[in-house]
Amino acid sequence: MNRVLRISPGDRFLECEAGITNAEVQRACAAHGLFWAPDPTSAEYSTVGGNLACNAGGPRAVKYGTARDNVLGLRAIAGTGQSLRTGTATTKGAVGYDLTRLLVGSEGTLAVITHAILKLLPLPSHRRTLRAGFTGVDEAAAAVAAVMTQPHIPCALEFMDQAAVGLACGYRDVGVEAAVGALLILEVDGDAEMVERSEQALAETLRASPGLVELKTAATAEEAQLLWTARKALSPALRQLAPLKVNEDVVVPVTRIPELVRGLQTLSAEFAIPIVNFGHAGNGNLHVNLLLDPAERRQADALEPCLAAVFRLVLSLEGSLSGEHGVGLAKRPYVAWEIDTPTLDAMRAIKQLLDPAGILNPGKVLPAA
Ligand SMILES: Cc1cc2nc3c(=O)[nH]c(=O)nc-3n(C[C@H](O)[C@H](O)[C@H](O)COP(=O)(O)OP(=O)(O)OC[C@H]3O[C@@H](n4cnc5c(N)ncnc54)[C@H](O)[C@@H]3O)c2cc1C
């Protein structure tokens, strides 16, 4: 179940079995000057089936979208045992209900995806990476909204708060100035001319943003890689700070990020639980990491109320509980806070239709009626 079945560069699609890893798909496409947009950090070991099931994304989702935006069709086996063929091999299609988009992100609760036709994009010939340090999270978060307001869309717009910057620099010294209270990593891609223009436009926007402490463009590919290595090491590095890391991947409209970050700081103080934030700010998708020692009774007792307060904050900002990791078991108790009863009932009816015996990932995603 891990084969590429065909690549059609002229149609810009790749058909594969669902057990192939994301990285293997990227290698197969790259040989034709193409790529598949979803780029989760887990690319080396996560599969196309898993990427589709969780609607995975990554840094470049800000420009190219997530798995859902980059799949044309699927083959899947429903819980009934029926074989489903959804979508088309074309980039347009207007026949029937969009079951492809229904299955993507359903976390394996409706059908097991066996095959996928993935939409491919041309590999950009050039890219440039910038980093922008700000006095604090408010200023950096406001700059994210400013960047997303101007017309040049970066292919990555990542955010790190001060604790995350400290961790990243501890992993690899990327030379960030001491006065930096929050950092943005931005990347632009395209042909040489486009990259030049986009970099200038972003730099102009960042320079005009209050609280800018430093703005640097990586001089070489190695320097850019160093920055990304430090960013991608953040998640494992957090484990050094506390025995337990609870990682949520909430998402809010980009312009509400300043309110989210301020609210998280307030909750961190209120519950006395350190919270470290970083993530895909261009999508408003932040990895909110609650760090604690479960052996310490006070912190252990505060975890659930703190988490609940984080989710209430996110929903009050028109956000969603998860931007890319999905619901699984852990967030299931909170789903009814986000989705109203009639809509949940419609989802339960779909589940009942496709998986009447409830054999596919039982107990996941939808809360009990
Ligand atoms: C270190 C690390 C970094 C990560 N970085 C990112 C990131 O940047 N962006 C991001 O979006 N996610 C990220 N993730 C989360 C995760 O890797 C992704 O969600 C990935 O898409 C899961 O794919 P998998 O093959 O590992 O699936 P699994 O973990 O095996 O399964 C995930 C879910 O999908 C279901 N599933 C798996 N295959 C199928 C199938 N063929 N048909 C139907 N259902 C299926 C499973 O039942 C399960 O519910 C990260 C995870 C780790 C550990």
Side-chain angles (χ1 to χ4, degrees):
M1 288 301 293
N2 62 356
R3 288 175 302 167
V4 171
L5 300 177
R6 57 181 171 147
I7 302 183
S8 181
D11 298 306
R12 290 202 180 160
F13 75 64
L14 174 149
E15 185 172 10
C16 63
E17 294 172 331
I20 190 169
T21 63
N22 179 301
E24 284 165 335
V25 163
Q26 305 299 356
R27 285 190 276 272
C29 300
H32 299 271
L34 298 164
F35 74 104
W36 188 45
D39 60 339
T41 311
S42 56
E44 281 297 336
Y45 47 86
S46 67
T47 62
V48 163
N51 290 175
L52 292 166
C54 297
N55 191 24
R60 64 187 174 210
V62 59
K63 181 170 180 180
Y64 297 111
T66 60
R68 184 172 276 138
D69 308 306
N70 291 281
V71 57
L72 301 176
L74 300 173
R75 272 197 269 163
I77 308 292
T80 53
Q82 283 167 309
S83 172
L84 306 177
R85 273 178 184 270
T86 75
T88 57
T90 55
T91 48
K92 289 178 100 176
V95 176
Y97 297 148
D98 190 349
L99 296 190
T100 309
R101 287 179 73 89
L102 174 67
L103 295 187
V104 175
S106 66
E107 298 184 43
T109 58
L110 301 178
V112 175
I113 297 165
T114 57
H115 298 76
I117 303 177
L118 306 178
K119 177 178 151 191
L120 305 181
L121 296 164
L123 267 174
S125 55
H126 291 72
R127 64 180 63 244
R128 207 164 288 169
T129 311
L130 300 85
R131 72 168 204 241
F134 286 86
T135 42
V137 287
D138 272 2
E139 291 77 6
V144 170
V147 167
M148 293 310 289
T149 304
Q150 57 80 55
H152 296 261
I153 304 177
C155 63
L157 175 41
E158 298 286 302
F159 166 90
M160 293 185 207
D161 71 9
Q162 193 165 28
V165 174
L167 270 179
C169 291
Y171 180 78
R172 286 274 198 284
D173 186 10
V174 285
V176 173
E177 288 178 28
V180 167
L183 191 76
L184 301 181
I185 303 178
L186 306 95
E187 199 159 86
V188 290
D189 66 0
D191 61 30
E193 207 178 305
M194 191 192 295
V195 162
E196 192 62 41
R197 269 190 288 126
S198 299
E199 186 206 343
Q200 279 173 16
L202 293 197
E204 229 166 80
T205 304
L206 292 164
R207 278 195 207 98
S209 299
L212 182 75
V213 175
E214 61 159 48
L215 176 61
K216 288 210 165 69
T217 300
T220 60
E222 290 71 36
E223 217 177 294
Q225 190 52 46
L226 187 65
L227 205 51
W228 280 115
T229 307
R231 156 66 184 89
K232 291 187 175 180
L234 277 179
S235 200
L238 279 171
R239 295 190 197 283
Q240 300 161 5
L241 294 188
L244 180 65
K245 174 189 83 160
V246 178
N247 172 8
E248 296 302 335
D249 82 310
V250 301
V251 57
V252 295
V254 170
T255 56
R256 313 297 298 268
I257 294 176
E259 289 165 86
L260 173 65
V261 171
R262 271 197 300 273
L264 290 169
Q265 285 171 334
T266 305
L267 295 179
S268 173
E270 185 183 327
F271 291 95
I273 292 181
I275 302 182
V276 177
N277 306 298
F278 61 90
H280 316 302
N283 290 108
N285 180 200
L286 289 197
H287 295 301
V288 173
N289 296 274
L290 280 60
L291 303 176
L292 64 153
D293 181 356
E296 202 199 298
R297 182 67 190 270
R298 191 202 50 74
Q299 278 202 329
D301 289 347
L303 175 60
E304 284 304 324
C306 183
L307 259 186
V310 168
F311 291 142
R312 270 196 293 271
L313 168 67
V314 166
L315 295 174
S316 75
L317 300 173
E318 293 185 87
S320 176
L321 304 178
S322 172
E324 55 181 26
H325 292 169
V327 174
L329 294 170
K331 277 189 280 290
R332 188 174 171 238
Y334 305 102
V335 168
W337 292 7
E338 176 170 336
I339 303 178
D340 62 22
T341 305
T343 314
L344 271 178
D345 285 344
M347 291 183 184
R348 290 189 186 107
I350 292 169
K351 168 77 175 168
Q352 179 63 23
L353 182 75
L354 291 179
D355 182 26
I359 57 172
L360 297 178
N361 278 343
K364 282 194 180 175
V365 182
L366 297 182

